[in-house]
mmCIF file of all heavy atoms in Angstrom:
data_model
loop_
_atom_site.group_PDB
_atom_site.id
_atom_site.type_symbol
_atom_site.label_atom_id
_atom_site.label_comp_id
_atom_site.label_asym_id
_atom_site.label_seq_id
_atom_site.Cartn_x
_atom_site.Cartn_y
_atom_site.Cartn_z
ATOM 1 N N ILE A 96 -1.095 13.085 -9.942
ATOM 2 C CA ILE A 96 0.235 12.387 -10.179
ATOM 3 C C ILE A 96 0.136 10.905 -9.746
ATOM 4 O O ILE A 96 1.082 10.149 -10.042
ATOM 5 C CB ILE A 96 1.329 13.066 -9.417
ATOM 6 C CG1 ILE A 96 1.108 13.118 -7.871
ATOM 7 C CG2 ILE A 96 1.576 14.435 -9.940
ATOM 8 C CD1 ILE A 96 2.268 13.561 -7.034
ATOM 9 N N ILE A 97 -0.926 10.454 -9.150
ATOM 10 C CA ILE A 97 -1.023 9.051 -8.775
ATOM 11 C C ILE A 97 -1.740 8.237 -9.809
ATOM 12 O O ILE A 97 -2.805 8.643 -10.257
ATOM 13 C CB ILE A 97 -1.765 9.010 -7.348
ATOM 14 C CG1 ILE A 97 -1.080 9.719 -6.289
ATOM 15 C CG2 ILE A 97 -1.956 7.448 -6.996
ATOM 16 C CD1 ILE A 97 0.291 9.125 -5.848
ATOM 17 N N THR A 98 -1.104 7.218 -10.149
ATOM 18 C CA THR A 98 -1.791 6.224 -11.138
ATOM 19 C C THR A 98 -2.612 5.253 -10.314
ATOM 20 O O THR A 98 -2.192 4.565 -9.426
ATOM 21 C CB THR A 98 -0.741 5.392 -11.834
ATOM 22 O OG1 THR A 98 0.243 6.234 -12.403
ATOM 23 C CG2 THR A 98 -1.371 4.622 -13.008
ATOM 24 N N PRO A 99 -4.001 5.186 -10.589
ATOM 25 C CA PRO A 99 -4.814 4.235 -9.882
ATOM 26 C C PRO A 99 -4.169 2.809 -10.001
ATOM 27 O O PRO A 99 -3.673 2.484 -11.083
ATOM 28 C CB PRO A 99 -6.083 4.273 -10.608
ATOM 29 C CG PRO A 99 -6.110 5.589 -11.207
ATOM 30 C CD PRO A 99 -4.758 5.933 -11.589
ATOM 31 N N SER A 100 -4.156 2.005 -8.926
ATOM 32 C CA SER A 100 -3.443 0.757 -8.972
ATOM 33 C C SER A 100 -3.954 -0.119 -10.144
ATOM 34 O O SER A 100 -3.127 -0.780 -10.828
ATOM 35 C CB SER A 100 -3.559 0.002 -7.648
ATOM 36 O OG SER A 100 -3.047 0.807 -6.685
ATOM 37 N N SER A 101 -5.204 -0.057 -10.477
ATOM 38 C CA SER A 101 -5.798 -0.867 -11.485
ATOM 39 C C SER A 101 -5.332 -0.471 -12.890
ATOM 40 O O SER A 101 -5.570 -1.221 -13.836
ATOM 41 C CB SER A 101 -7.349 -0.793 -11.448
ATOM 42 O OG SER A 101 -7.789 -1.163 -10.209
ATOM 43 N N LEU A 102 -4.726 0.755 -12.975
ATOM 44 C CA LEU A 102 -4.265 1.261 -14.321
ATOM 45 C C LEU A 102 -2.792 1.363 -14.365
ATOM 46 O O LEU A 102 -2.239 1.856 -15.326
ATOM 47 C CB LEU A 102 -4.855 2.623 -14.603
ATOM 48 C CG LEU A 102 -6.423 2.694 -14.673
ATOM 49 C CD1 LEU A 102 -6.999 4.034 -14.825
ATOM 50 C CD2 LEU A 102 -6.907 1.808 -15.772
ATOM 51 N N HIS A 103 -2.042 0.876 -13.337
ATOM 52 C CA HIS A 103 -0.544 0.805 -13.414
ATOM 53 C C HIS A 103 -0.141 -0.080 -14.595
ATOM 54 O O HIS A 103 -0.669 -1.063 -14.774
ATOM 55 C CB HIS A 103 -0.053 0.172 -12.096
ATOM 56 C CG HIS A 103 1.444 0.568 -11.798
ATOM 57 N ND1 HIS A 103 2.463 0.020 -12.555
ATOM 58 C CD2 HIS A 103 2.021 1.379 -10.977
ATOM 59 C CE1 HIS A 103 3.646 0.377 -12.093
ATOM 60 N NE2 HIS A 103 3.325 1.310 -11.137
ATOM 61 N N PHE A 104 0.833 0.428 -15.305
ATOM 62 C CA PHE A 104 1.287 -0.340 -16.500
ATOM 63 C C PHE A 104 1.792 -1.645 -15.919
ATOM 64 O O PHE A 104 2.199 -1.766 -14.778
ATOM 65 C CB PHE A 104 2.312 0.378 -17.356
ATOM 66 C CG PHE A 104 3.741 0.320 -16.819
ATOM 67 C CD1 PHE A 104 4.662 -0.545 -17.448
ATOM 68 C CD2 PHE A 104 4.208 1.175 -15.868
ATOM 69 C CE1 PHE A 104 5.995 -0.687 -17.012
ATOM 70 C CE2 PHE A 104 5.491 1.144 -15.449
ATOM 71 C CZ PHE A 104 6.406 0.209 -15.961
ATOM 72 N N GLU A 105 1.910 -2.625 -16.772
ATOM 73 C CA GLU A 105 2.447 -3.973 -16.393
ATOM 74 C C GLU A 105 3.485 -4.463 -17.374
ATOM 75 O O GLU A 105 3.352 -4.280 -18.574
ATOM 76 C CB GLU A 105 1.331 -5.048 -16.513
ATOM 77 C CG GLU A 105 0.093 -4.877 -15.694
ATOM 78 C CD GLU A 105 -0.948 -5.853 -16.291
ATOM 79 O OE1 GLU A 105 -0.974 -6.997 -15.849
ATOM 80 O OE2 GLU A 105 -1.707 -5.416 -17.237
ATOM 81 N N ARG A 106 4.595 -4.960 -16.771
ATOM 82 C CA ARG A 106 5.584 -5.597 -17.651
ATOM 83 C C ARG A 106 6.040 -6.899 -16.966
ATOM 84 O O ARG A 106 6.559 -6.898 -15.874
ATOM 85 C CB ARG A 106 6.747 -4.610 -17.779
ATOM 86 C CG ARG A 106 7.923 -5.165 -18.507
ATOM 87 C CD ARG A 106 7.766 -5.251 -19.970
ATOM 88 N NE ARG A 106 8.860 -5.786 -20.702
ATOM 89 C CZ ARG A 106 8.947 -7.143 -21.065
ATOM 90 N NH1 ARG A 106 7.999 -7.936 -20.826
ATOM 91 N NH2 ARG A 106 9.908 -7.617 -21.710
ATOM 92 N N HIS A 107 5.662 -8.032 -17.647
ATOM 93 C CA HIS A 107 6.027 -9.331 -17.035
ATOM 94 C C HIS A 107 6.868 -10.082 -18.032
ATOM 95 O O HIS A 107 6.592 -10.099 -19.171
ATOM 96 C CB HIS A 107 4.739 -10.126 -16.789
ATOM 97 C CG HIS A 107 3.615 -9.347 -16.206
ATOM 98 N ND1 HIS A 107 3.739 -8.641 -15.075
ATOM 99 C CD2 HIS A 107 2.318 -9.179 -16.575
ATOM 100 C CE1 HIS A 107 2.573 -8.063 -14.775
ATOM 101 N NE2 HIS A 107 1.679 -8.376 -15.701
ATOM 102 N N HIS A 108 7.852 -10.803 -17.499
ATOM 103 C CA HIS A 108 8.722 -11.653 -18.279
ATOM 104 C C HIS A 108 8.279 -13.071 -18.313
ATOM 105 O O HIS A 108 8.657 -13.917 -19.086
ATOM 106 C CB HIS A 108 10.122 -11.561 -17.830
ATOM 107 C CG HIS A 108 10.811 -10.233 -18.205
ATOM 108 N ND1 HIS A 108 10.545 -9.091 -17.448
ATOM 109 C CD2 HIS A 108 11.598 -9.889 -19.113
ATOM 110 C CE1 HIS A 108 11.198 -8.076 -17.942
ATOM 111 N NE2 HIS A 108 11.873 -8.572 -19.019
ATOM 112 N N SER A 109 7.297 -13.366 -17.349
ATOM 113 C CA SER A 109 6.716 -14.766 -17.351
ATOM 114 C C SER A 109 5.394 -14.769 -16.725
ATOM 115 O O SER A 109 5.062 -15.718 -16.029
ATOM 116 C CB SER A 109 7.686 -15.677 -16.564
ATOM 117 O OG SER A 109 7.226 -17.004 -16.670
#
Side-chain angles (χ1 to χ4, degrees):
I96 60 169
I97 299 292
T98 311
S100 301
S101 304
L102 298 176
H103 197 288
F104 84 98
E105 302 166 86
R106 175 76 182 94
H107 316 307
H108 289 76
S109 187

